[in-house]
Amino acid sequence: MVGEIPKELMKLNFLIYLNLSHNELSGQLPREIGSLSVLDRLDISSNNLSGPIPGEVGKCSKLLYLGLSCNIFKGSIPTQIGDLISLTILLDLSHNELTGGIPSKIGSLLKLENLNLSHNMLSGNIPSSFEEMESLLSINVSYNQLEGRLPANKAIQESALDAFKNNKDLCGNVSGMQACDSSGTSKSNAMDKHKVVIIIILPLLGVLFLILASAGVFFIFYQKKIDVKEEIQKDLFCVWNYDGNIVYEDIIEATENFSPGHCIGTGGYGSVYKAELSTGQVVAVKKLHPSENGVGRGSKAFLDEISALSEVRHRNIVRLYGFCSHARHSFIISEYLERGNLSKVLSDTEEAVKLDWVRRVNIIKGLANAFSYLHHDCSPPIVHRDISSSNILLDLEYEARVSDFGTARLLKPDSSNWTELAGTYGYIAPELAYTMRVTEKCDMYSFGVLMLEVLIGIHPGELLSSLTSSSSPTSQNVLLKDILDGCLSPPTLHASHELFTIAKLAFSCLDANPESRPTMKHVSQELSKAKALDLELFHTMTLGQLMHREI
């Protein structure tokens, strides 16, 4: 892709994921970027974008990932970036031509795990507000013109010297770096020599002590560890609830300590990484975001997903291998699906064409069976609460799997199931905005949106708004055949029967009255017995007729 970023993209206010990296885009980042209020991932790295970073990017309040590296951005870092309090996975402004100081407001990004400001021309001190960034795991400010004392932050103090090299005059408590005097600058050479001696001798003594202590512990537990390895060698996660160091260390090594390069997706409760284990097995690892609400080890969201997934067994639901609960990282390990999520496939023209009508119908049928199983065959029933194309994964054969049970609720008899609002914008049942009562009918609404999305090829938000708007009644006269994804050839006679049934069921699921929506078992059964349809009826059927069930 060459040229400027199309401003038309900035009008897609339902956009959640925008990746334009590794192209030849030029010009400036449009100020209209601030209108993408639900965007949670923005990656425009490795292009030729120039000019200042617009402060309007700070209005993208849902961002979890911001990658602007390897461009030619100039000017100062906008203070408004400090407003992105949801940033968790990455803030990367490296390899640009940014000048001025680092805004102290960046210290407000309390959830941020990875920060890279390297290879710019930034000057001044690293703000002391960085001491508040307790979630920070890695930082790189090398190749700038920074000076002064490093903030007392754990991630900073545990970083390698390379993360700070080629600056003007930094000092602080980092191995190999000059210590600071009382004024916050480097001490004299004479003092440095004494420090060097201490820095060399003390770690050597400490290492010697640790070696001796570790040797004793190693020999005590060596045989026991070998037995554990042999027991789980065939399938690393065959034992449910296994929470051992072997699993933890293997995951950490496979993901390079959850490096952004291994991240394949993000959600409200966690980021998903692809990991190839030492056994050769490839798995998906969902690492939960740290949160002031306790979303982490032992948290409600973590236990909800484990509780739900541990009970289900269905070919169209992602298989869970196990989980790890650790003081620093909590994650869930599941099967890896090669083609990623449905949203990604539908938005990629080349991939969307491969998703022909037969495959799309099979996806809908498989998902209906899976959700029918959750609603009607599990005890207590399981409501997913976050049905969206981002949470549907596809394997190599384009068979669908339901994933991401982080917001699932187990419905207990005689329970009101009142809860906080959860789900993905554009799929949430309207009654949840005011009743907050979770039932299977909430999933039915989301599934209706999803069925239309598969037929149309994009999220049907604008279509649904126009159909329900009193100012545009003509929208109901639009023909069903005219809204089908235009990147595919017209459906065959048999496919037309099934697409008609899917559309009819989708609109019944979208009924404003929850009690009028069908059950998932009914949807599953209707899809399995699509009736023969007069082809003329298919070509003349309007959306208004489908909405009002005039068929």
Side-chain angles (χ1 to χ4, degrees):
M1 185 183 294
V2 298
E4 298 187 350
I5 296 177
K7 289 192 177 181
E8 289 74 15
L9 283 175
M10 306 300 124
K11 298 178 182 179
L12 304 176
N13 54 14
F14 55 82
L15 198 62
I16 295 175
Y17 180 100
L18 180 58
N19 187 345
L20 301 174
S21 63
H22 295 87
N23 283 291
E24 297 181 19
L25 295 170
S26 56
Q28 299 188 12
L29 177 60
R31 295 185 180 278
E32 291 81 0
I33 188 71
S35 64
L36 303 181
S37 57
V38 299
L39 195 67
D40 68 16
R41 186 181 180 105
L42 174 62
D43 189 351
I44 53 174
S45 59
S46 299
N47 281 289
N48 298 311
L49 297 169
S50 57
I53 299 174
E56 285 78 1
V57 74
K59 295 180 180 179
C60 301
S61 59
K62 299 294 180 66
L63 276 180
L64 304 172
Y65 181 111
L66 178 59
L68 308 182
S69 63
C70 299
N71 281 288
I72 322 171
F73 287 119
K74 301 179 185 291
S76 58
I77 300 174
T79 58
Q80 292 91 330
I81 283 184
D83 294 330
L84 301 175
I85 57 175
S86 294
L87 268 183
T88 303
I89 303 170
L90 178 70
L91 171 56
D92 191 351
L93 308 180
S94 65
H95 293 271
N96 282 290
E97 298 179 10
L98 299 172
T99 57
I102 301 175
S104 61
K105 201 171 180 181
I106 288 183
S108 302
L109 306 179
L110 302 182
K111 299 179 182 179
L112 187 63
E113 295 182 356
N114 302 285
L115 174 64
N116 193 342
L117 304 176
S118 66
H119 294 83
N120 281 289
M121 294 179 282
L122 300 171
S123 57
N125 297 336
I126 300 177
S128 59
S129 59
F130 277 35
E131 295 179 2
E132 305 300 319
M133 302 174 72
E134 295 183 357
S135 294
L136 202 62
L137 300 177
S138 71
I139 182 172
N140 191 341
V141 295
S142 61
Y143 293 91
N144 280 289
Q145 299 172 22
L146 300 169
E147 57 186 322
R149 183 190 301 274
L150 294 178
N153 175 282
K154 184 178 180 181
I156 291 176
Q157 294 173 344
E158 293 180 353
S159 296
L161 186 61
D162 285 350
F164 308 99
K165 68 182 181 181
N166 288 81
N167 273 289
K168 187 175 180 181
D169 192 19
L170 288 173
C171 61
N173 188 23
V174 171
S175 180
M177 179 178 286
Q178 290 184 337
C180 303
D181 60 19
S182 57
S183 66
T185 59
S186 302
K187 293 188 176 181
S188 64
N189 290 336
M191 184 64 72
D192 287 341
K193 290 180 181 178
H194 291 293
K195 288 292 184 183
V196 168
V197 173
I198 295 174
I199 287 172
I200 292 174
I201 292 177
L202 285 181
L204 286 176
L205 291 174
V207 168
L208 181 61
F209 174 81
L210 287 174
I211 290 174
L212 293 174
S214 299
V217 174
F218 175 78
F219 284 113
I220 292 172
F221 292 103
Y222 178 72
Q223 188 60 48
K224 183 177 181 180
K225 189 172 183 179
I226 286 180
D227 293 341
V228 172
K229 279 187 175 181
E230 289 175 349
E231 180 184 344
I232 65 172
Q233 188 63 42
K234 293 181 181 179
D235 186 346
L236 198 57
F237 308 111
C238 62
V239 182
W240 174 250
N241 260 13
Y242 184 73
D243 182 14
N245 288 330
I246 301 171
V247 176
Y248 179 79
E249 291 168 3
D250 206 3
I251 292 293
I252 295 299
E253 182 177 351
T255 60
E256 297 181 283
N257 197 20
F258 297 105
S259 165
H262 293 273
C263 184
I264 57 175
T266 61
Y269 287 113
S271 303
V272 182
Y273 298 79
K274 178 182 178 182
E276 183 173 354
L277 305 176
S278 58
T279 61
Q281 186 178 9
V282 178
V283 297
V285 182
K286 180 180 177 182
K287 175 178 173 290
L288 271 74
H289 299 319
S291 166
E292 68 275 9
N293 293 325
V295 177
R297 185 168 67 105
S299 73
K300 196 174 191 303
F302 184 64
L303 296 177
D304 278 349
E305 181 152 1
I306 290 171
S307 178
L309 280 174
S310 65
E311 298 297 327
V312 300
R313 295 290 185 275
H314 194 280
R315 66 175 295 169
N316 293 108
I317 297 177
V318 71
R319 182 186 174 194
L320 181 68
Y321 292 127
F323 77 96
C324 187
S325 177
H326 190 272
R328 189 167 188 182
H329 300 306
S330 293
F331 48 79
I332 300 168
I333 309 107
S334 61
E335 66 176 318
Y336 172 72
L337 280 300
E338 295 82 357
R339 296 197 183 274
N341 66 54
L342 178 60
S343 175
K344 174 185 173 184
V345 172
L346 288 174
S347 62
D348 184 317
T349 304
E350 185 175 337
E351 284 294 309
V353 170
K354 298 176 185 177
L355 206 61
D356 58 27
W357 292 123
V358 172
R359 284 173 169 163
R360 295 193 190 201
V361 168
N362 287 337
I363 284 173
I364 294 297
K365 287 183 175 180
L367 294 176
N369 291 337
F371 289 119
S372 178
Y373 166 81
L374 292 174
H375 287 186
H376 303 286
D377 298 326
C378 291
S379 182
I382 297 175
V383 174
H384 188 281
R385 293 209 316 157
D386 197 10
I387 298 175
S388 71
S389 56
S390 296
N391 288 335
I392 304 302
L393 304 181
L394 302 177
D395 65 14
L396 283 175
E397 303 302 320
Y398 294 94
E399 186 170 13
R401 306 277 203 289
V402 178
S403 73
D404 203 335
F405 282 69
T407 59
R409 286 294 178 272
L410 305 180
L411 293 188
K412 297 179 175 59
D414 305 318
S415 170
S416 62
N417 295 298
W418 291 77
T419 182
E420 74 280 1
L421 184 63
T424 299
Y425 178 80
Y427 298 86
I428 301 173
E431 67 271 13
L432 274 180
Y434 55 87
T435 67
M436 309 298 276
R437 185 175 183 270
V438 176
T439 71
E440 295 95 332
K441 299 297 185 178
C442 303
D443 274 1
M444 297 312 301
Y445 183 91
S446 302
F447 191 59
V449 177
L450 180 63
M451 285 195 284
L452 285 184
E453 184 174 358
V454 174
L455 297 187
I456 299 172
I458 60 172
H459 187 279
E462 291 188 12
L463 174 66
L464 295 177
S465 296
S466 65
L467 287 173
T468 56
S469 172
S470 58
S471 62
S472 57
T474 56
S475 298
Q476 297 195 16
N477 296 326
V478 174
L479 297 176
L480 169 62
K481 70 181 183 64
D482 290 339
I483 69 167
L484 298 180
D485 195 340
C487 75
L488 299 184
S489 301
T492 63
L493 177 60
H494 179 70
S496 298
H497 299 166
E498 301 198 282
L499 295 179
F500 172 81
T501 301
I502 290 173
K504 181 177 66 172
L505 290 168
F507 280 107
S508 66
C509 289
L510 294 170
D511 199 298
N513 179 7
E515 298 307 315
S516 297
R517 296 170 198 157
T519 65
M520 198 63 81
K521 179 173 286 187
H522 174 78
V523 171
S524 177
Q525 291 171 345
E526 288 296 302
L527 289 172
S528 67
K529 56 178 183 181
K531 301 174 182 177
L533 175 72
D534 186 319
L535 195 57
E536 181 66 23
L537 181 59
F538 176 81
H539 286 288
T540 58
M541 182 61 59
T542 68
L543 301 184
Q545 289 173 308
L546 287 168
M547 284 181 64
H548 299 106
R549 306 184 192 181
E550 299 173 3
I551 44 176

